[in-house]
Amino acid sequence: MRALILILFYLAAVSAPLALSWLADLPPRSFRNELASALGMLAFAMILVEFVLSGRFRTISNGVGLDVTIRFHQLMARGLLVFALLHPFLYQWLPGPPRPWDPTRELTLTGDVTALASGFLAFIILPAFVLASINHDALGYKYERWRLLHGAGALALAGLLLHHTLAAGRYGAQSELVWFWSAMTGVAVLSSVFVYVVKPLYQRGHPWRVSTIRRVSPKQWVLRVSPDGHAGLDYKAGQFVWLNIDHSAFSLNENPFSLSSAPSQGSEIEFVIKELGDFTSNLDQVKAGDRAYVDGPYGTLTVAGRSEPGIALIAGGVGIAPMLSILRGLDTEGDDRDRVLIYGNRVEEQIVGREEIGTFDRTRTIHVLQEPPPGWDGETGFVSPDLIERSFDAQQFASWLFVICGPPIMMTVVEQALLDHGVSPDRVLSERFQYD
């Protein structure tokens, strides 16, 4: 229901300028000219709504999942790019200055270079902006630099398009549209202010301190942080946060990590982090007492409030973090439902929390190794459809809740295997943040 409401709000926001332009009751132009204006207004409205979709607003993301809003943000960027590129080529008009007998621009468009220059510049920047965002991993940008360029570029585009719409658009001069575009641009700017100013100010007043950090495998660490002068974080087992260590609260040096601790374990929170680059490659330099900041919680990978008779947790690699959070929560809360944990790794040394996992009540654990050592008596290879089929019976497929976290390929394979066995999508919980 919340997802439906959000979709309706989105449609209302991006179609509002079309409705207002129709209510202006200007003399109609040719179909091509009206379509050109409509595509331009749709593209601009969609760009402004993109600020809200990418702003980490928990009211939105915790209702449908931050991964869903990010994916929607990506798909809408592609759509608005098509609209924006088509927009100027559809116009049919007479060259030259406005005619006295054409005050409503039915036949002519403005020839004012200053009014059109901002549109030309946005027309060049927008494709480069979207393509760079799609391929930012391949471009080799650090996450922090990409985020800065992405935010600054979006604000620059919004400013250029606001000027172009009000100065060159036929409908942009209408008072209702002037108010609408100004208000929408204001909301977009305020969204950025909220993310880059308001949130850091709050975080600066609610700092954390690194309490412990230890290496648990050649490439994996367990990090714990404690609240410094405040009550801590109100979260659900399985959620994640953005973590910033040893930088200013206003720094862009923050990265998303799943929580591996459970709320019932106290105010200290824990992470299982794998070395992948940028911040994670410098974990050996983090020490107890370092200042940290936390933005969250986010995510819908949580079993809180679910009533299914059993829970299956399927993890690959560092995807064990939210599973540990969920299992720890279920255990400390005395939940008596049966559980199955399938945990895949490349080698045995990468298994995190093996002894603790073996102590969880009512939990059957299946370890899977791609490169097993001699004498290994667990599963080998990958978390495959065949393994999924052998691990659950028909009754479990028909009624249990399935939670998945791990490499994108593994998640896709497991999701499809579950659907093939009749598991309804509402009983499959997963989050993914790599799409392109």
Side-chain angles (χ1 to χ4, degrees):
M1 180 58 70
R2 181 174 294 189
L4 177 60
I5 292 173
L6 291 174
I7 290 173
L8 291 176
F9 270 115
Y10 180 87
L11 293 175
V14 300
S15 61
L18 303 183
L20 291 173
S21 62
W22 178 73
L23 291 173
D25 200 28
L26 292 176
R29 300 174 297 178
S30 69
F31 174 77
R32 279 187 58 176
N33 282 2
E34 294 291 9
L35 179 60
S37 291
L39 291 179
M41 288 188 285
L42 275 174
F44 186 26
M46 291 169 72
I47 286 175
L48 296 178
V49 177
E50 291 282 85
F51 282 83
V52 178
L53 289 176
S54 61
R56 296 190 207 165
F57 294 102
R58 290 204 294 269
T59 302
I60 298 174
S61 63
N62 286 357
V64 297
L66 186 60
D67 61 327
V68 174
T69 60
I70 290 176
R71 182 54 172 165
F72 190 71
H73 169 86
Q74 293 175 328
L75 292 175
M76 292 305 100
R78 292 156 171 75
L80 69 88
L81 176 61
V82 173
F83 295 161
L85 294 181
L86 287 175
H87 156 69
F89 295 107
L90 290 177
Y91 279 115
Q92 293 176 310
W93 72 92
L94 295 175
R99 275 69 168 178
W101 39 267
D102 187 26
T104 58
R105 299 188 197 171
E106 292 178 58
L107 302 176
T108 59
L109 299 177
T110 180
D112 184 356
V113 175
T114 60
L116 295 175
S118 54
F120 289 146
L121 189 56
F123 185 85
I124 295 172
I125 293 175
L126 181 59
F129 181 78
V130 174
L131 291 175
S133 298
I134 292 173
N135 298 289
H136 74 272
D137 286 337
L139 293 174
Y141 287 141
K142 287 187 175 181
Y143 172 76
E144 297 80 15
R145 180 178 298 177
W146 171 81
R147 188 179 169 201
L148 175 62
L149 293 174
H150 193 73
L155 285 172
L157 276 171
L160 289 170
L161 291 173
L162 178 64
H163 174 268
H164 176 68
T165 300
L166 298 184
R170 183 198 191 207
Y171 295 105
Q174 304 301 308
S175 59
E176 295 85 356
L177 269 300
V178 171
W179 280 104
F180 174 83
W181 291 122
S182 301
M184 286 282 287
T185 305
V187 169
V189 172
L190 287 176
S191 297
S192 295
V193 171
F194 179 77
V195 171
Y196 296 106
V197 179
V198 175
K199 279 194 173 188
L201 281 173
Y202 176 83
Q203 292 168 28
R204 191 169 68 171
H206 297 76
W208 297 71
R209 293 281 180 183
V210 174
S211 52
T212 61
I213 181 168
R214 58 188 176 90
R215 189 191 294 271
V216 293
S217 79
K219 289 289 186 178
Q220 294 181 119
W221 299 75
V222 170
L223 170 73
R224 298 184 70 88
V225 298
S226 301
D228 186 4
H230 57 95
L233 185 69
D234 182 14
Y235 68 100
K236 297 176 182 177
Q239 291 189 297
F240 69 94
V241 301
W242 261 266
L243 180 65
N244 170 357
I245 295 181
D246 205 27
H247 291 93
S248 163
F250 295 90
S251 171
L252 298 180
N253 289 276
E254 56 176 0
N255 294 273
F257 296 109
S258 293
L259 294 153
S260 56
S261 54
S264 52
Q265 293 182 307
S267 60
E268 192 174 60
I269 57 178
E270 180 187 278
F271 307 89
V272 177
I273 302 175
K274 182 177 181 179
E275 293 182 20
L276 293 173
D278 292 349
F279 162 72
T280 59
S281 63
N282 298 314
L283 284 169
D284 58 346
Q285 300 177 23
V286 175
K287 59 187 181 299
D290 282 351
R291 179 68 60 90
Y293 298 100
V294 170
D295 176 24
Y298 298 95
T300 56
L301 201 72
T302 173
V303 303
R306 302 296 300 231
S307 59
E308 285 83 358
I311 301 172
L313 306 167
I314 306 171
V318 77
I320 191 62
M323 307 309 184
L324 283 174
S325 178
I326 292 170
L327 286 169
R328 287 166 171 170
L330 294 172
D331 214 47
T332 56
E333 294 163 10
D335 191 295
D336 62 357
R337 285 177 288 182
D338 289 333
R339 312 146 204 167
V340 172
L341 170 65
I342 299 178
Y343 182 15
N345 283 286
R346 186 175 61 85
V347 294
E348 188 174 15
E349 290 76 17
Q350 292 177 338
I351 299 176
V352 176
R354 187 173 186 178
E355 292 184 3
E356 182 187 7
I357 289 172
T359 68
F360 289 133
D361 289 338
R362 308 186 69 86
T363 302
R364 177 167 62 97
T365 302
I366 302 171
H367 288 288
V368 188
L369 294 183
Q370 297 174 31
E371 301 173 14
W376 174 257
D377 60 358
E379 296 285 344
T380 60
F382 297 91
V383 180
S384 63
D386 176 65
L387 174 60
I388 297 299
E389 183 176 9
R390 289 188 284 107
S391 301
F392 305 98
D393 59 33
Q395 185 274 331
Q396 291 169 330
F397 281 126
S399 61
W400 276 30
L401 177 67
F402 291 82
V403 187
I404 313 167
C405 187
I409 294 177
M410 185 211 82
M411 294 176 64
T412 299
V413 169
V414 172
E415 287 169 347
Q416 187 58 55
L418 294 174
L419 294 176
D420 290 343
H421 283 86
V423 179
S424 58
D426 64 300
R427 289 189 288 110
V428 178
L429 303 182
S430 63
E431 287 179 326
R432 60 179 70 218
F433 293 91
Q434 294 181 350
Y435 302 101
D436 301 304

